Amino acid sequence: MVKSKIETYLGFCIKARKIALGSGAIDTLRGGVRLIIVDGAAAKNSQKLALKFKTRFSCPIIVCKSGFENAVNKVGCKIAAVTDGELAKAILNNLDENYELYAGGSF
């Protein structure tokens, strides 16, 4: 199976420990979040948390349409925060059909 560029960049984030997986881990961060990634199948509460984190950290949100748990290699993970600016920029510049930038409205 061929990985997309975003999945490769997420792998780099995991290897470099520049990503927080799960709402609890994101909530403990004091700052430095550059990008929030949410699974499109996340529950309403997780979506509300993502919007809360977006305003708290002033960063964009990306919605993954499918395969988010496989991309971050963690079962049950519905939200993640990238803390490295360059990796976040690379992810935003390489959005594909499975990922879209959140522009408001419903997930």
Side-chain angles (χ1 to χ4, degrees):
M1 182 176 165
V2 178
K3 285 187 170 184
S4 71
K5 279 191 169 190
I6 294 180
E7 291 172 349
T8 303
Y9 287 132
L10 287 175
F12 291 155
C13 290
I14 292 168
K15 201 161 185 82
R17 301 186 73 156
K18 298 290 185 182
I19 192 167
L21 300 174
S23 60
I26 298 170
D27 200 28
T28 62
L29 297 175
R30 296 283 180 209
V33 174
R34 305 291 182 234
L35 178 66
I36 303 285
I37 306 171
V38 181
D39 190 350
K44 292 289 182 192
N45 191 32
S46 296
Q47 294 173 0
K48 288 179 187 177
L49 281 173
L51 292 174
K52 181 183 107 176
F53 294 141
K54 177 187 187 305
T55 56
R56 178 175 161 189
F57 297 117
S58 300
C59 63
I61 295 179
I62 289 180
V63 179
C64 176
K65 296 177 185 173
S66 65
F68 183 68
E69 294 175 352
N70 294 332
V72 296
N73 298 322
K74 186 172 180 183
V75 177
C77 183
K78 299 294 182 187
I79 185 170
V82 177
T83 58
D84 184 75
E86 292 301 315
L87 285 169
K89 192 184 305 181
I91 291 170
L92 286 169
N93 289 336
N94 290 294
L95 294 178
D96 58 13
E97 66 277 350
N98 194 33
Y99 295 88
E100 65 181 18
L101 190 62
Y102 175 74
S106 64
F107 285 89

